[in-house]
Amino acid sequence: MRTCIGYNFNAEDVQDGDWSALYERRRRDSCFCAVLEDDTHYYALRDHLGVAQLYYRWSGERFRFSQQFSDLVQPGDALDPDGVRALLGLGTIRLVPLIRDIQIVPPGSVIALDKATGQVAIRYQYRVRPQHLPLSVHMDSLVDELDRLFRRAMERIVREDRVGLYLSGGIDSELLGIYLKQMGVSINAYTSATWGPTSSDLPYARRTAEILNVRQHHIHNLETAEYPCLFDRLDELYGQPHGTRTALGVAGLWFHTPIGEERQLFSGENNDSLNGALAAQYLTWFASYLPLALRKRRLPYKDAGKSFVYFTSQGYYDDISLLTTVSQYQAMSRLQKLILAAMYVSCISDSEVVALPAMRAGIIASDPYCDMDLVEFVMGVPLIQHIQVVRKKPPVVLAKKAFQRLLLRYVPTAERGYRKKAFTVSLERDEQSRMLYETRLPVKVEGIPLHGDEARFAGGTLLQWCQKRGIPCAFEMAASRAAAPLAT
């Protein structure tokens, strides 16, 4: 087979045509995609978790493929309402086609596309298999195995002797950096101070940079005066609508530091989801034991995973059919369903916000917390090993306790408490940020009311993207002007 498109992919891994071996043994890092071909078919494949994106389109005569969604847009294209709602609720277009004729290669899949007829069939689908760990497993044993798996995950993905690291000041990036340091890798650290010099994460990031003895530590102090300019340049950075406010902080790094000169970039975006440590996850978990009548309208489903997706998307999206494709969903525990829903549906934009700019620049984006051996091990950790009592509301949360213990093995002085990172970019920080919110972000798109900062931000990036490409989009601004279609 010949390679047409490849990102972080070695065609030798599938020369024998054994798709199962590719996903279950040869590649476990979950950040790759490729399009291969023989005389009659194309074979498009995407990593286990869908971190790398891949789109395709059938013109009636031939297929076109691209990692860049916008490359496949044609004159006359129109927005798909379901794709718009998914973007508004989840901040990404990777799950539902934003334009009906542009299709998405599913995560963990190999699809065969017939060159002559245009027919598409799934040849292989990876299914997540959580390990079964006994309830009596001791924390020390968990940490021993976690240490082994994390080290192996890092050995699989380190390609360069000097790398870039998104350094937030939390335990995920610190732990990642410790393993890089132990492997003799030189680190350039990049920190977005999203509240400027007063950012609460900044002292922790600086301390971690010292512990890691980084080569250089680049800090961008994000000020609200930059918001409009950075917002205008998001399409330049992402090439498609992206709906999380964190993108402003990431854009600040890409336009004000040498991060784009790296050959490999590391981040730790999946670990909160993997441990059920997102607030939306553990709130849904606790609420799932209440009668439906007491949950009001925010958690309206019996299934915890479906309620979580609805809750975290602010009611714009509730489809969990993907979860039943990539796993034996009904056989999973309540916590495992919440982890799966976060990784595959609700939080895919968390990886997209840091990984997509790197992919567009031809840089290898790496996250050891997406290694499938590590993922399936942590999904098997008993619930009791996640529960943590804190001095905040709510007083009981689900936390990444085993990872906290692992960090303490290497940094005994590491903070032991439960600290939530403050990476969120606020649109209500001051008068300047409010000006962007009120004058640049629509209140209605394609007839859909936008409620909440994230939905309006996503609607703003969609509007900007449509305007640049001449795609009709009905919108309404806060000044209550009548909805008007954009000219093509």
Side-chain angles (χ1 to χ4, degrees):
M1 287 186 287
R2 302 176 295 276
T3 303
C4 303
I5 293 175
Y7 174 77
N8 192 22
F9 187 76
N10 187 348
E12 293 181 1
D13 286 337
V14 290
Q15 283 307 309
D16 59 359
D18 191 341
W19 307 116
S20 177
L22 171 69
Y23 284 87
E24 296 173 23
R25 297 196 302 276
R26 296 168 187 164
R27 293 299 300 267
R28 299 292 283 169
D29 54 302
S30 195
C31 186
F32 60 88
C33 66
V35 178
L36 312 170
E37 70 170 322
D38 58 24
D39 292 339
T40 60
H41 288 79
Y42 291 106
Y43 302 91
L45 56 93
R46 189 174 171 203
D47 64 74
H48 313 72
L49 297 180
V51 175
Q53 59 184 30
L54 185 58
Y55 303 96
Y56 66 95
R57 181 173 196 150
W58 169 252
S59 67
E61 297 179 350
R62 66 185 182 92
F63 283 104
R64 294 172 56 206
F65 301 90
S66 182
Q67 281 186 267
Q68 314 303 324
F69 179 83
S70 298
D71 289 349
L72 301 180
V73 174
Q74 297 178 177
D77 280 340
L79 298 174
D80 182 280
D82 291 336
V84 172
R85 294 192 70 86
L87 169 64
L88 297 176
L90 304 173
T92 181
I93 63 172
R94 296 189 188 191
L95 290 170
V96 183
L98 183 62
I99 290 175
R100 191 172 289 109
D101 292 331
I102 300 177
Q103 302 301 315
I104 304 168
V105 177
S109 299
V110 180
I111 60 174
L113 305 98
D114 191 301
K115 293 181 178 180
T117 66
Q119 292 184 331
V120 179
I122 293 180
R123 286 292 175 88
Y124 174 84
Q125 176 66 61
Y126 184 79
R127 294 176 73 83
V128 178
R129 302 176 181 86
Q131 290 193 24
H132 298 286
L133 302 178
L135 292 175
S136 59
V137 64
H138 195 274
M139 177 60 78
D140 287 341
S141 298
L142 287 177
V143 177
D144 287 341
E145 181 64 3
L146 201 59
D147 190 8
R148 185 185 73 82
L149 291 173
F150 204 111
R151 193 174 305 278
R152 188 170 69 178
M154 292 296 293
E155 291 170 350
R156 285 170 170 163
I157 58 179
V158 171
R159 306 286 180 83
E160 303 289 339
D161 56 11
R162 191 180 79 193
V163 304
L165 170 65
Y166 283 102
L167 188 63
S168 67
I171 72 168
D172 301 336
S173 56
E174 183 172 4
L175 194 57
L176 202 167
I178 286 169
Y179 283 89
L180 285 171
K181 182 181 177 181
Q182 290 177 353
M183 296 171 70
V185 178
S186 177
I187 302 170
N188 291 326
Y190 298 89
T191 299
S192 174
T194 53
W195 286 78
T198 62
S199 297
S200 60
D201 281 349
L202 209 46
Y204 297 96
R206 287 193 170 115
R207 185 198 66 182
T208 301
E210 292 177 2
I211 292 172
L212 299 178
N213 190 28
V214 301
R215 180 175 173 270
Q216 293 180 330
H217 188 193
H218 300 279
I219 299 172
H220 177 246
N221 292 311
L222 181 64
E223 300 292 355
T224 51
E226 296 179 85
Y227 282 14
C229 178
L230 292 175
F231 181 78
D232 287 341
R233 298 186 70 182
L234 288 181
D235 184 67
E236 177 184 341
L237 187 62
Y238 291 96
Q240 64 189 41
H242 172 84
T244 69
R245 291 167 290 162
T246 305
L248 293 177
V250 174
L253 287 174
W254 277 81
F255 295 129
H256 296 289
T257 75
I259 192 170
E261 298 173 12
E262 302 291 347
R263 292 192 293 269
Q264 186 172 15
L265 271 172
F266 281 82
S267 63
E269 298 305 308
N270 193 45
N271 203 26
D272 283 337
S273 303
L274 181 55
N275 285 273
L278 295 168
Q281 283 175 295
Y282 56 73
L283 290 175
T284 302
W285 187 83
F286 288 120
S288 67
Y289 288 95
L290 298 174
L292 281 173
L294 297 180
R295 300 189 214 165
K296 299 183 179 179
R297 292 182 296 176
R298 301 193 74 181
L299 298 165
Y301 301 108
K302 275 188 176 182
D303 182 85
K306 193 176 181 71
S307 272
F308 167 79
V309 172
Y310 182 87
F311 173 58
T312 198
S313 72
Q314 301 181 81
Y316 286 109
Y317 190 83
D318 64 359
D319 185 3
I320 60 169
S321 58
L322 172 62
L323 306 185
T324 62
T325 300
V326 300
S327 71
Q328 292 183 321
Y329 183 75
Q330 296 305 326
M332 287 186 167
S333 70
R334 205 171 304 207
L335 176 58
Q336 288 171 343
K337 289 180 178 180
L338 288 170
I339 291 172
L340 201 74
M343 289 196 304
Y344 277 95
V345 181
S346 301
C347 303
I348 194 169
S349 57
D350 288 347
S351 63
E352 179 180 295
V353 71
V354 294
L356 184 54
M359 293 176 184
R360 282 172 52 79
I363 299 169
I364 298 174
S366 302
D367 184 347
Y369 300 101
C370 291
D371 182 276
M372 295 310 295
D373 288 340
L374 186 69
V375 165
E376 291 172 349
F377 173 74
V378 177
M379 288 186 73
V381 172
L383 173 65
I384 190 64
Q385 300 290 14
H386 289 287
I387 293 177
Q388 188 171 66
V389 178
V390 296
R391 297 178 180 177
K392 296 182 178 181
K393 293 183 179 180
V396 179
V397 300
L398 301 182
K400 40 198 176 189
K401 290 167 60 177
F403 286 92
Q404 292 170 355
R405 292 283 190 90
L406 179 58
L407 177 61
L408 288 171
R409 284 191 175 184
Y410 297 108
V411 187
T413 59
E415 185 183 60
R416 292 172 179 265
Y418 180 82
R419 186 179 69 86
K420 190 67 176 175
K421 296 192 293 293
F423 192 65
T424 302
V425 174
S426 174
L427 296 180
E428 299 184 7
R429 180 171 161 186
D430 56 24
E431 192 62 33
Q432 285 182 308
S433 63
R434 289 293 303 176
M435 185 68 67
L436 171 67
Y437 185 77
E438 295 297 338
T439 64
R440 304 289 298 280
L441 306 183
V443 295
K444 187 178 288 188
V445 168
E446 292 294 285
I448 304 170
L450 309 184
H451 44 83
D453 291 357
E454 293 289 5
R456 288 190 64 182
F457 191 88
T461 65
L462 174 63
L463 181 58
Q464 180 189 74
W465 182 80
C466 288
Q467 286 175 325
K468 289 186 176 182
R469 287 161 183 83
I471 295 175
C473 177
F475 69 96
E476 185 176 321
M477 302 304 290
S480 299
R481 291 179 293 180
L486 292 177
T488 58

